[in-house]
């Protein structure tokens, strides 16, 4: 957890647009979970929503040669120049570039997958199912965090993973509601594999929890990021179960 520098006013930088709806949801969540009675009680936030950032999954799986890191690095430096003292990236797939980005920037960058796995473990999770993009699965972002934390993990079968990708890319990113038959089929596959929790390891999937009122089997990476962003800015979040 980043420690506030004495005497330095905290400013959260959101490296967003990856996609825009997920960034907007994080911003609203930060507002909703801040104990505030006036404008000045909220944290200061600067947001870069560069939706033109090349697709992260396409680059990771080799379908595109457009490296998103160059844009992310530029935007990260711009957020710091604007006053950000800590950064949050509301995109799990973009954490493929986390180490390079954290090394390139002079302020702490919250690691959403690591924080999410840590919260799942603290909640008693023994085996975590991973609902995420093909890019996140191929990069083994959550698998590595699970190994680091001593938590078993599992991913959907290829058939059900295609369903997850359809929910993310063909529905949520199109502004549509999720096909819950596809989503639930993937979740049921993870339950059959012995998972006692599943991570919504794509911030588009966080919108499924918002819209469909998902139960306690799911841990939402956007919620975890929100909590830790507020804590990093010296605010005790409210309203989480």
């Amino acid at each position: 957890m980043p420690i506030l520098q004495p005497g330095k006013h905290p400013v959260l930088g959101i490296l967003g647009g990856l996609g825009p709806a997920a960034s907007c949801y994080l911003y609203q969540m930060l507002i909703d979970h801040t104990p505030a009675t006036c404008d000045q009680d909220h944290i200061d936030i600067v947001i870069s929503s560069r939706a033109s950032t090349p697709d992260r999954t396409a680059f990771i799986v080799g379908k595109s040669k457009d490296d998103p890191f160059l844009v992310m690095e530029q935007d990260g430096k711009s957020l710091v120049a604007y006053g950000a003292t800590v950064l949050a990236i509301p995109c799990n797939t973009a954490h493929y570039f986390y180490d390079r980005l954290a090394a390139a920037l002079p302020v702490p960058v919250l690691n959403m997958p690591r924080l999410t796995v840590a919260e799942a473990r603290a909640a008693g999770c023994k085996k975590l199912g991973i609902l995420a993009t093909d890019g996140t699965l191929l990069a083994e972002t959550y698998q590595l965090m699970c190994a680091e934390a001593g938590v078993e993990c599992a991913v959907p079968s290829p058939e059900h993973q295609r369903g997850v990708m359809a929910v993310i890319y063909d529905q949520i990113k199109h502004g549509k509601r999720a096909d819950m038959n596809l989503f639930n089929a993937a979740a049921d596959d993870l339950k059959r594999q012995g998972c006692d929790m599943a991570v919504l390891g794509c911030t588009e999937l966080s919108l499924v929890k918002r819209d469909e009122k998902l139960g306690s089997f799911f841990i939402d990476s956007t919620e975890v990021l929100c909590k830790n962003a507020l804590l990093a800015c010296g605010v005790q979040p409210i309203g989480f179960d």
Side-chain angles (χ1 to χ4, degrees):
M1 175 60 59
I3 303 299
L4 292 178
Q5 298 179 26
K8 193 160 187 179
H9 185 74
V11 179
L12 175 65
I14 298 178
L15 207 164
L18 314 172
S23 301
C24 183
Y25 184 41
L26 174 63
Y27 184 32
Q28 185 64 57
M29 192 181 289
L30 288 162
I31 295 169
D32 292 343
H33 293 282
T34 296
T37 58
C38 63
D39 293 346
Q40 291 73 27
D41 288 340
H42 289 277
I43 64 172
D44 289 339
I45 302 174
V46 290
I47 302 174
S48 170
S49 185
R50 195 176 297 277
S52 59
T53 304
D55 187 87
R56 284 64 60 200
T57 290
F59 179 79
I60 294 169
V61 303
K63 293 182 179 179
S64 169
K65 294 183 179 179
D66 293 331
D67 190 346
F69 175 76
L70 303 177
V71 179
M72 293 171 59
E73 181 184 32
Q74 175 189 344
D75 285 353
K77 290 180 177 179
S78 295
L79 289 169
V80 173
Y82 203 81
T85 57
V86 59
L87 295 191
I89 311 169
C91 173
N92 286 277
T93 309
H95 281 71
Y96 172 81
F97 308 96
Y98 176 85
D99 289 342
R100 290 168 66 192
L101 189 65
L105 299 176
V107 301
V109 182
L110 297 170
N111 190 313
M112 178 163 50
R114 177 174 285 121
L115 292 166
T116 302
V117 171
E119 183 161 318
R121 182 186 180 191
C125 179
K126 303 298 183 184
K127 187 171 185 179
L128 184 67
I130 305 169
L131 296 169
T133 65
D134 289 349
T136 297
L137 296 188
L138 183 63
E140 298 192 334
T141 302
Y142 271 95
Q143 294 95 315
L144 292 170
M145 294 298 102
C146 285
E148 182 181 283
V151 176
E152 290 186 67
C153 63
V155 302
S157 69
E159 174 190 356
H160 291 118
Q161 179 58 23
R162 286 192 292 273
V164 172
M165 286 292 285
V167 168
I168 295 170
Y169 275 89
D170 300 336
Q171 295 160 20
I172 303 299
K173 285 184 179 289
H174 284 232
K176 301 176 183 177
R177 295 282 284 263
D179 180 335
M180 293 308 292
N181 289 327
L182 291 176
F183 180 86
N184 288 330
D188 289 343
D189 179 37
L190 295 174
K191 291 176 182 177
R192 284 192 295 271
Q193 295 184 58
C195 296
D196 48 5
M197 293 182 74
V199 60
L200 302 174
C202 172
T203 46
E204 269 73 31
L205 295 180
S206 298
L207 301 175
V208 179
K209 181 178 182 182
R210 180 197 67 186
D211 295 339
E212 309 298 340
K213 313 302 181 187
L214 300 180
S216 59
F217 178 69
F218 301 95
I219 181 168
D220 181 3
S221 60
T222 302
E223 288 185 3
V224 174
L225 183 62
C226 175
K227 293 177 193 176
N228 284 275
L230 288 172
L231 289 169
C233 291
V235 172
Q236 185 64 43
I238 61 170
F240 288 108
D241 295 333

